């Protein structure tokens, strides 16, 4: 509450974001056995602390990279959220909790949906304030001299979005 009040007084948005419902087009005429080459959103990690994601029933659309470097499908579980750890939580914990590399591929619609139905997902991004200095927390990271450098969240956000969404 205190942070929300501070943000309001300073004319800044509170430290959380909800993106509008995303509609990612599906791959048309792509047999399930063929490798998918079209991405709704390429490989990336989320910029903030934590992302909660509620998706439709489409299987195979969300993929995460496992520790072996392989892309695995994160299929929806009815009534459950997908939780992604973001870059800032990873920094706070000195990498004890790593950012989740993930991507969205264009997958066939779920049974009963039309062939042209887009994928619907509702992500909630919990992020620091734009001007927050984020540094490893010694008690969480267990690190001392090898700790990663602190970053201003806004600078990190601009760097990531300018490289992820550059034309």
């Amino acid at each position: 509450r205190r942070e929300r009040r501070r943000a309001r007084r300073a004319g800044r948005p509170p430290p959380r974001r909800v993106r509008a419902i995303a509609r990612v087009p599906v791959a048309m005429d792509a047999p399930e056995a063929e490798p998918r080459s079209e991405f709704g959103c390429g490989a990336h990690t989320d910029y903030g602390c934590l992302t909660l994601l509620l998706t439709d029933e489409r299987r195979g659309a969300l993929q995460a990279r496992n520790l072996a470097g392989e892309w695995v499908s994160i299929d929806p579980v009815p009534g459950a959220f997908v939780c992604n750890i973001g870059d800032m939580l990873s920094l706070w914990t000195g990498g004890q909790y790593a950012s989740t590399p993930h991507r969205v591929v264009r997958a066939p619609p779920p049974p009963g949906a039309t062939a042209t139905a887009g994928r619907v997902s509702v992500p909630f991004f919990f992020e620091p304030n734009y001007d927050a200095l984020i540094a490893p927390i010694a008690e969480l990271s267990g690190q001392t001299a090898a700790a990663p450098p602190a970053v201003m969240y806004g600078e990190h956000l601009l760097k990531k979005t300018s490289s992820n969404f550059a034309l």
Side-chain angles (χ1 to χ4, degrees):
R1 274 191 220 150
R2 186 177 66 193
E3 190 60 40
R4 283 193 295 250
R5 284 193 304 266
R6 257 193 225 145
R8 265 196 309 269
R9 282 193 299 258
R12 295 187 318 249
R16 62 190 170 358
R17 307 283 183 273
V18 177
R19 183 179 291 168
I21 294 175
R23 185 179 184 278
V24 179
V26 298
M28 301 302 293
D29 302 322
E32 189 65 31
E34 289 183 16
R36 295 182 185 94
S37 59
E38 293 185 358
F39 295 95
C41 185
H44 67 284
T45 57
D46 291 338
Y47 325 132
C49 299
L50 186 66
T51 302
L52 302 177
L53 178 68
L54 183 62
T55 67
D56 66 11
E57 299 169 358
R58 190 173 316 257
R59 299 177 62 81
L62 178 63
Q63 297 179 341
R65 192 168 47 218
N66 65 18
L67 295 176
E70 304 161 327
W71 289 103
V72 295
S73 290
I74 307 300
D75 291 331
V77 174
F81 289 88
V82 174
C83 300
N84 283 337
I85 293 173
D87 298 339
M88 297 300 100
L89 186 57
S90 182
L91 178 61
W92 270 327
T93 64
Q96 293 288 326
Y97 293 97
S99 299
T100 309
H102 58 283
R103 65 186 183 185
V104 178
V105 297
R106 297 184 181 174
T114 64
T116 58
R119 177 175 176 266
V120 176
S121 65
V122 182
F124 172 84
F125 301 98
F126 182 76
E127 301 176 346
N129 281 338
Y130 188 82
D131 59 353
L133 180 64
I134 307 299
I137 300 170
E139 294 83 7
L140 296 178
S141 67
Q143 294 186 357
T144 54
V151 299
M152 290 295 286
Y153 177 66
E155 292 172 10
H156 176 75
L157 177 66
L158 289 175
K159 181 180 172 186
K160 293 278 290 216
T161 56
S162 66
S163 65
N164 285 356
F165 301 109
L167 297 177

